[in-house]
Amino acid sequence: MRLVRTALKERIDHLTQLILTSATVQPAAPSATSPIQTQPQQTNGFSGRDDPWVLVRELRREVQELKLQNEQLRRQVRAQEDELDAISSQKSDHQALVDKVAQLEAELSVTKAELEVTSMMAKEVAHDSRKPPSSPPVSSPKIKSLVTDMSTI
Protein backbone atom coordinates (compact mmCIF):
# COMPACT_ATOMS: atom_id res chain seq x y z
CA MET A 1 0.00 0.00 0.00
CA ARG A 2 2.89 2.35 0.75
CA LEU A 3 4.41 1.58 -2.62
CA VAL A 4 1.18 2.61 -4.31
CA ARG A 5 1.07 5.82 -2.30
CA THR A 6 4.68 6.59 -3.09
CA ALA A 7 4.22 5.89 -6.77
CA LEU A 8 1.11 8.06 -6.91
CA LYS A 9 2.82 10.88 -5.06
CA GLU A 10 5.83 10.74 -7.36
CA ARG A 11 3.55 10.74 -10.41
CA ILE A 12 1.59 13.73 -9.07
CA ASP A 13 4.82 15.61 -8.34
CA HIS A 14 6.11 14.86 -11.82
CA LEU A 15 2.87 15.96 -13.47
CA THR A 16 2.73 19.09 -11.34
CA GLN A 17 6.27 19.95 -12.38
CA LEU A 18 5.33 19.46 -16.02
CA ILE A 19 2.28 21.67 -15.60
CA LEU A 20 4.30 24.39 -13.92
CA THR A 21 6.98 24.34 -16.59
CA SER A 22 4.34 24.26 -19.33
CA ALA A 23 2.47 27.17 -17.78
CA THR A 24 5.53 29.34 -18.22
CA VAL A 25 5.52 28.64 -21.97
CA GLN A 26 3.07 31.16 -23.42
CA PRO A 27 2.16 31.42 -27.07
CA ALA A 28 3.42 34.52 -28.83
CA ALA A 29 0.86 37.29 -29.00
CA PRO A 30 -0.42 37.54 -32.57
CA SER A 31 0.14 40.81 -34.28
CA ALA A 32 -2.84 42.42 -35.85
CA THR A 33 -1.30 42.50 -39.30
CA SER A 34 0.47 39.15 -39.62
CA PRO A 35 -0.66 35.58 -39.03
CA ILE A 36 0.87 33.55 -36.22
CA GLN A 37 4.17 32.04 -37.26
CA THR A 38 5.86 29.79 -34.77
CA GLN A 39 8.99 27.79 -35.16
CA PRO A 40 8.96 24.18 -34.04
CA GLN A 41 10.75 24.04 -30.71
CA GLN A 42 11.80 21.27 -28.40
CA THR A 43 10.25 22.20 -25.03
CA ASN A 44 10.41 19.68 -22.21
CA GLY A 45 10.57 16.80 -24.66
CA PHE A 46 7.48 17.85 -26.66
CA SER A 47 7.77 18.13 -30.40
CA GLY A 48 6.77 21.35 -32.12
CA ARG A 49 3.76 19.61 -33.68
CA ASP A 50 2.17 19.05 -30.26
CA ASP A 51 0.12 21.86 -28.81
CA PRO A 52 1.49 22.48 -25.31
CA TRP A 53 -1.88 23.67 -24.06
CA VAL A 54 -3.49 20.40 -25.07
CA LEU A 55 -0.76 18.61 -23.17
CA VAL A 56 -1.33 20.86 -20.17
CA ARG A 57 -5.05 20.02 -20.21
CA GLU A 58 -4.27 16.31 -20.49
CA LEU A 59 -1.77 16.49 -17.66
CA ARG A 60 -4.23 18.37 -15.48
CA ARG A 61 -6.84 15.72 -16.24
CA GLU A 62 -4.35 13.01 -15.32
CA VAL A 63 -3.49 14.79 -12.09
CA GLN A 64 -7.19 15.02 -11.26
CA GLU A 65 -7.66 11.31 -11.96
CA LEU A 66 -4.66 10.47 -9.80
CA LYS A 67 -6.03 12.62 -7.00
CA LEU A 68 -9.33 10.74 -7.19
CA GLN A 69 -7.52 7.40 -7.16
CA ASN A 70 -5.43 8.58 -4.24
CA GLU A 71 -8.56 9.55 -2.30
CA GLN A 72 -10.16 6.19 -3.05
CA LEU A 73 -7.06 4.40 -1.81
CA ARG A 74 -7.05 6.51 1.33
CA ARG A 75 -10.68 5.58 1.98
CA GLN A 76 -9.84 1.91 1.49
CA VAL A 77 -6.92 2.21 3.91
CA ARG A 78 -9.15 3.91 6.49
CA ALA A 79 -11.76 1.17 6.12
CA GLN A 80 -9.12 -1.53 6.52
CA GLU A 81 -7.70 0.23 9.58
CA ASP A 82 -11.19 0.39 11.11
CA GLU A 83 -11.69 -3.30 10.38
CA LEU A 84 -8.31 -4.09 11.93
CA ASP A 85 -9.24 -2.11 15.06
CA ALA A 86 -12.50 -4.06 15.35
CA ILE A 87 -10.68 -7.37 14.97
CA SER A 88 -8.11 -6.33 17.56
CA SER A 89 -10.89 -5.41 19.99
CA GLN A 90 -12.60 -8.76 19.41
CA LYS A 91 -9.30 -10.54 19.98
CA SER A 92 -8.74 -8.84 23.32
CA ASP A 93 -12.35 -9.64 24.36
CA HIS A 94 -11.80 -13.26 23.36
CA GLN A 95 -8.56 -13.46 25.35
CA ALA A 96 -10.32 -12.02 28.41
CA LEU A 97 -13.00 -14.72 28.11
CA VAL A 98 -10.39 -17.47 27.74
CA ASP A 99 -8.65 -16.21 30.89
CA LYS A 100 -11.95 -16.13 32.79
CA VAL A 101 -12.79 -19.70 31.71
CA ALA A 102 -9.37 -20.91 32.85
CA GLN A 103 -9.85 -19.24 36.22
CA LEU A 104 -13.32 -20.78 36.64
CA GLU A 105 -12.01 -24.23 35.70
CA ALA A 106 -9.28 -23.94 38.33
CA GLU A 107 -11.82 -22.91 40.95
CA LEU A 108 -14.06 -25.82 39.96
CA SER A 109 -11.19 -28.28 40.34
CA VAL A 110 -10.43 -26.97 43.82
CA THR A 111 -14.10 -27.18 44.78
CA LYS A 112 -14.32 -30.78 43.51
CA ALA A 113 -11.23 -31.73 45.51
CA GLU A 114 -12.66 -30.10 48.64
CA LEU A 115 -15.96 -31.92 48.14
CA GLU A 116 -14.18 -35.25 47.71
CA VAL A 117 -12.14 -34.68 50.88
CA THR A 118 -15.25 -33.68 52.80
CA SER A 119 -17.10 -36.75 51.53
CA MET A 120 -14.25 -39.08 52.49
CA MET A 121 -13.95 -37.48 55.92
CA ALA A 122 -17.69 -37.94 56.47
CA LYS A 123 -17.38 -41.60 55.50
CA GLU A 124 -14.46 -42.03 57.86
CA VAL A 125 -16.35 -40.39 60.71
CA ALA A 126 -19.33 -42.64 60.03
CA HIS A 127 -17.02 -45.65 59.95
CA ASP A 128 -15.30 -44.55 63.19
CA SER A 129 -18.62 -44.12 64.98
CA ARG A 130 -19.31 -47.83 64.48
CA LYS A 131 -16.05 -48.85 66.20
CA PRO A 132 -15.61 -48.99 69.94
CA PRO A 133 -14.43 -45.66 71.42
CA SER A 134 -11.15 -47.12 72.70
CA SER A 135 -9.57 -47.35 69.24
CA PRO A 136 -7.75 -44.25 67.86
CA PRO A 137 -9.14 -42.55 64.71
CA VAL A 138 -7.84 -44.03 61.47
CA SER A 139 -6.99 -41.76 58.55
CA SER A 140 -6.84 -43.32 55.14
CA PRO A 141 -3.80 -42.56 52.92
CA LYS A 142 -6.09 -41.28 50.18
CA ILE A 143 -7.49 -38.55 52.45
CA LYS A 144 -3.99 -37.57 53.55
CA SER A 145 -2.84 -37.26 49.93
CA LEU A 146 -5.88 -35.16 49.00
CA VAL A 147 -5.32 -32.85 51.95
CA THR A 148 -1.66 -32.52 50.96
CA ASP A 149 -2.64 -31.79 47.35
CA MET A 150 -5.12 -29.15 48.47
CA SER A 151 -2.59 -27.41 50.65
CA THR A 152 -0.25 -27.04 47.66
CA ILE A 153 -2.97 -25.25 45.64
Side-chain angles (χ1 to χ4, degrees):
M1 191 55 79
R2 288 185 185 185
L3 292 174
V4 172
R5 279 190 202 167
T6 305
L8 285 174
K9 186 175 182 198
E10 288 174 1
R11 182 74 174 145
I12 289 171
D13 291 342
H14 175 70
L15 293 174
T16 304
Q17 185 64 32
L18 288 175
I19 289 170
L20 291 176
T21 56
S22 296
T24 59
V25 176
Q26 297 179 0
S31 64
T33 58
S34 67
I36 301 174
Q37 295 181 1
T38 58
Q39 296 290 328
Q41 298 177 353
Q42 290 291 342
T43 308
N44 295 328
F46 301 124
S47 69
R49 292 175 287 159
D50 295 336
D51 183 9
W53 299 110
V54 172
L55 292 173
V56 168
R57 281 192 300 271
E58 289 177 8
L59 291 174
R60 286 183 178 159
R61 182 187 50 78
E62 280 187 49
V63 167
Q64 196 63 22
E65 288 175 5
L66 290 173
K67 284 181 180 179
L68 290 174
Q69 289 175 355
N70 188 9
E71 186 58 35
Q72 288 173 342
L73 290 173
R74 286 177 194 258
R75 276 186 255 132
Q76 287 176 352
V77 166
R78 278 188 231 120
Q80 289 174 349
E81 286 173 346
D82 292 343
E83 188 177 327
L84 185 62
D85 289 343
I87 290 171
S88 177
S89 175
Q90 289 175 351
K91 181 183 175 189
S92 64
D93 292 346
H94 177 73
Q95 186 60 41
L97 289 174
V98 168
D99 293 343
K100 184 67 176 176
V101 167
Q103 178 187 0
L104 291 173
E105 286 177 344
E107 289 175 8
L108 180 62
S109 296
V110 169
T111 304
K112 283 182 180 178
E114 288 174 344
L115 180 61
E116 189 175 338
V117 167
T118 304
S119 173
M120 292 183 86
M121 289 175 78
K123 285 180 185 176
E124 189 174 306
V125 167
H127 179 61
D128 287 347
S129 66
R130 290 185 200 144
K131 287 188 177 182
S134 61
S135 64
V138 177
S139 292
S140 73
K142 189 171 183 180
I143 292 177
K144 287 181 182 179
S145 69
L146 285 173
V147 171
T148 305
D149 290 344
M150 284 184 50
S151 65
T152 59
I153 295 175

